[in-house]
């Protein structure tokens, strides 16, 4: 009996040990946590694709139709989740990482409701610009709700951190590290296989289509790591000097024409007369229609759709392709804002031109205030330096004010020709769905009733933009100097257009016109946006730059390779094409054209009146270099309420943007 009892007791103990061991494996083994990470990644990827396609069914179809691509995206998310296993609070770590992915997916879902281009890493650099436009896209209650949601989310994270269990077992650091390494190797193998078999691509010509074809996790991750221009395999000093020699052999023949050159990039502008299903009470763009018939014109293939204005602008000004840069990247925000670049501006300045930039939006939008300085512009008139600006119901400045500013630039240097590069903003979305959102110049009907009110607003905005063009041409003709006026749209508007509705063009085509009073002999031709400067320089027989010469000398794939080689050398390489120096010397661009001046100060009835010239709503009085609450009266008068100055007080007027950045300042006036 005694022996039997010992045998039974030993058997029970062994079974208990095995049970505890199994329990330990189930609860704490690296293998189990890795499996949890994989299941979590699977669920996250499915949700991300549903959000990105704004459809549950479409997300499921992506899994069924592209299982290999789906699993590839799962592997990327899975890799990031593995890092939670290094923490004691593994559950909390997995929640944080999962939340980051899901928040990005939700942001992508929201973004796609306002534009065609999906959410990419570059948008993090656009946060300041987005905040400046919140009133356009979100109502006040929506903004408040968003802030409340963010606060609740942060409170929830703190609560989760406190409540989630702390892992007390061995963290198996070596095993976790091995899992991470193997996962990374697996991703690399899958990437190479998918690239080799054209299952995925890193060439995102159409970012929206890339997200649909290759999945959110891959495309978004690629937008994080793929920035700038990768060093070409054949980049070296010898290759660049040979290219330079070949380009220098290109000669200009004939007489060079030097008219004033005005270039206007028209926000979201295109001719809606071609849209199938749209009927209008009259032609909303009669001036544009007439100009197409009278002057050289054609379709312009742009790199943007519904957003990405700055990339079209970059291509037109530099003659380079934005596709040389990373997926969804804005060179303005990552490179050109701190790196000198050869452009239409710098090339024309070598020919004695004055160079002005105009934009009826804040100067910091797309970092233009720094970009234009690196391009060599002499002066930049942004919204902070404009007068009597009218606004649309959605808060965008109307374009009518651009006419006076363009003429002001031309008159600023009467003895030499000028380049005036202008970016309009009136046609900008978001387009409201509410009735009575604009002046009804034109009535429309559209077979998509949900989009009809948005189209109504849009058509009436471009009607006014067309009027601006007509007024400008009248002013230019009356001014009497030779001119070339280049007009083009930056991209199509976000109005749920499809190529089926555009029988004469694609979704990536707008139109351009080269209006002139010098009888330019040009045939109508469809071109790419980066070819526009080359077409203009050739028409004027103007000495061009390396980008334009490459376009003239090379064709097809070889042309793109040479352009990319040149772009890398100028922006990221050793500047062999410029003898080891940057293409431009340090520039000091002036903000505005009018000089803001203080001519007098007066104490009167408990108020301070400051008198001078060229004040506007952004003009702010500084008393002994201290900011004051300033009331704008008119262009010659500013006022401070409940203030009295003492003798010897120093007064300046500074232009201050919405973010309280000082842009420029007047002379100092000492009160006596």
């Amino acid at each position: 009996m005694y022996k039997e009892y010992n045998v039974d007791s030993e058997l029970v103990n062994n079974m208990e040990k095995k049970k505890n061991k199994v329990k330990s494996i189930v609860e704490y083994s690296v293998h189990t946590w890795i499996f949890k990470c994989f299941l979590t990644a699977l669920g996250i990827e499915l949700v991300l694709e549903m959000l990105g396609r704004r459809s549950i069914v479409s997300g499921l179809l992506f899994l069924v139709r592209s299982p290999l691509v789906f699993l590839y995206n799962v592997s990327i998310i899975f890799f990031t989740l593995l890092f939670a296993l290094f923490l004691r609070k593994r559950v909390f770590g997995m929640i944080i990482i999962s939340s980051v992915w899901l928040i990005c997916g939700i942001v992508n879902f929201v973004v796609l409701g306002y534009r065609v281009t999906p959410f990419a890493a570059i948008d993090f650099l656009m946060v300041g610009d987005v905040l400046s436009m919140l009133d356009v896209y979100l109502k006040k209650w929506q903004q408040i709700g968003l802030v409340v949601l963010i606060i609740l989310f942060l409170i929830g994270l703190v609560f989760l951190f406190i409540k989630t269990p702390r892992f007390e077992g061995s963290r198996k650091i070596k095993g976790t590290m091995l899992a991470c390494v193997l996962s990374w190797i697996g991703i690399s193998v899958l990437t190479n296989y998918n690239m080799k078999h054209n299952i995925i691509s890193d060439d995102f010509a159409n970012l929206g289509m890339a997200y649909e074809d290759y999945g959110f996790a891959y495309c978004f991750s690629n937008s994080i790591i793929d920035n700038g221009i990768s060093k070409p395999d054949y980049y070296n000093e010898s290759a660049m000097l040979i290219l330079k020699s070949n380009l220098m052999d290109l000669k200009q023949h004939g007489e060079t024409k030097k008219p004033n050159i005005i270039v206007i990039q028209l926000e979201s502008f295109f001719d809606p007369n071609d849209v199938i299903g749209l009927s209008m009470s009259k032609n909303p763009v009669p001036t544009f229609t007439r100009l197409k018939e009278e002057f050289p014109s054609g379709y312009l293939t742009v790199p943007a759709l519904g957003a990405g204005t700055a990339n079209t602008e970059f291509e037109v000004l530099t003659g380079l392709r934005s596709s040389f840069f990373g997926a969804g990247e804005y060179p303005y925000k990552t490179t050109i804002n701190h790196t000198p670049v050869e452009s239409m501006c710098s090339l024309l300045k070598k020919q004695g031109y004055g160079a002005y930039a105009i934009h009826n939006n804040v100067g910091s939008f797309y970092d233009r205030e720094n970009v234009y300085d690196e391009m060599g512009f002499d002066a930049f008139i942004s919204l902070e330096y404009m007068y009597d600006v009218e606004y649309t119901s959605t808060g965008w400045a109307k374009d009518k004010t651009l006419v006076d500013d363009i003429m002001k630039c031309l008159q600023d240097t009467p003895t030499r020709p000028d380049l005036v590069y202008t970016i309009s903003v009136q046609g900008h979305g978001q387009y409201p769905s509410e009735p009575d959102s604009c002046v009804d110049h034109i009535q429309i009907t559209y077979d998509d009733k949900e989009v009809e009110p948005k189209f109504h607003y849009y058509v009436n905005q471009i009607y006014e933009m067309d009027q601006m063009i007509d007024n400008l041409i009248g002013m230019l003709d009356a001014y009497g100097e030779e001119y070339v006026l280049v007009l083009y749209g930056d991209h199509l508007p976000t109005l749920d257009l499809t190529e089926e509705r555009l029988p004469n063009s694609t979704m990536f085509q707008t139109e351009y016109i080269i209006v002139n009073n010098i009888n330019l002999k040009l045939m109508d031709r469809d071109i790419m946006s980066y070819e526009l400067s080359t077409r203009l320089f050739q028409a004027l027989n103007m000495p061009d730059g390396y980008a334009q010469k490459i376009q003239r000398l090379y064709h097809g794939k070889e042309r793109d390779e040479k352009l990319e080689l040149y772009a890398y050398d100028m922006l990221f390489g050793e500047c062999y094409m410029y003898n080891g120096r940057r293409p431009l010397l340090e520039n000091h661009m002036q903000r505005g054209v009018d000089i803001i001046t203080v001519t007098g100060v007066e104490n009167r009835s408990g108020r301070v009146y400051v008198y001078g010239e060229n004040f506007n709503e952004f003009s702010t009085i500084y008393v002994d270099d201290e900011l004051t609450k300033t009331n704008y009266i008119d262009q010659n008068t500013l006022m401070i309420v409940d203030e009295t100055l003492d003798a010897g007080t120093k007064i300046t007027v500074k232009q201050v943007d919405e973010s309280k950045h000082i842009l420029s300042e007047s002379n100092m006036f000492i009160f006596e």
Side-chain angles (χ1 to χ4, degrees), residues 461-479:
Q461 297 310 314
I462 63 170
Y463 173 82
E464 294 182 5
M465 294 169 71
D466 188 80
Q467 287 182 319
M468 179 273 293
I469 296 170
D470 187 52
N471 292 337
L472 175 61
I473 291 175
M475 294 286 282
L476 291 172
D477 289 338
Y479 190 54

Side-chain angles (χ1 to χ4, degrees), residues 96-283:
I96 288 291
I97 296 170
S98 300
S99 297
V100 170
W101 280 110
L102 292 173
I103 289 171
C104 288
I106 293 169
V107 171
N108 186 46
F109 175 85
V110 173
V111 163
L112 289 173
Y114 293 100
R115 72 185 195 195
V116 180
T117 308
F119 179 56
I122 190 66
D123 289 306
F124 289 117
L125 296 179
M126 299 291 294
V127 169
D129 296 329
V130 171
L131 291 176
S132 70
M133 298 189 297
L134 273 184
D135 288 337
V136 175
Y137 290 99
L138 297 177
K139 296 180 175 62
K140 286 297 181 184
W141 69 266
Q142 292 174 318
Q143 295 178 37
I144 294 170
L146 179 62
V147 172
V148 170
L149 282 175
I150 293 172
I151 293 172
L152 290 175
F153 175 73
L154 294 175
I155 292 172
L157 287 182
V158 173
F159 180 79
L160 282 171
F161 181 78
I162 296 171
K163 292 298 182 180
T164 50
R166 178 181 173 85
F167 180 68
E168 301 297 344
S170 173
R171 284 182 291 169
K172 308 292 185 183
I173 298 296
K174 292 182 180 179
T176 302
M177 289 180 65
L178 179 62
C180 289
V181 170
L182 291 175
S183 176
W184 179 254
I185 292 172
I187 291 173
S188 300
V189 171
L190 278 174
T191 302
N192 291 332
Y193 177 85
N194 290 338
M195 289 282 190
K196 185 177 180 181
H197 292 82
N198 296 319
I199 298 173
I200 63 172
S201 172
D202 58 357
D203 182 12
F204 297 169
N206 182 333
L207 196 63
M209 292 299 295
Y211 271 66
E212 289 196 10
D213 293 340
Y214 312 138
F216 178 85
Y218 166 64
C219 292
F220 185 78
S221 301
N222 193 61
S223 74
I224 294 174
I225 62 177
D226 183 16
N227 287 296
I229 302 175
S230 300
K231 182 179 179 180
D233 294 335
Y234 42 89
Y235 176 74
N236 55 59
E237 184 175 8
S238 176
M240 298 313 301
L241 294 181
I242 290 172
L243 175 60
K244 180 178 180 179
S245 176
N246 292 340
L247 298 179
M248 295 305 291
D249 288 339
L250 284 176
K251 304 297 181 183
Q252 298 281 3
H253 301 285
E255 181 185 359
T256 297
K257 298 179 181 179
K258 292 187 177 182
N260 290 320
I261 299 173
I262 303 98
V263 182
I264 304 182
Q265 178 169 282
L266 298 161
E267 173 63 45
S268 301
F269 190 92
F270 83 117
D271 187 344
N273 288 295
D274 293 336
V275 177
I276 293 176
L278 176 65
S279 297
M280 298 172 286
S281 58
K282 62 180 178 180
N283 182 6

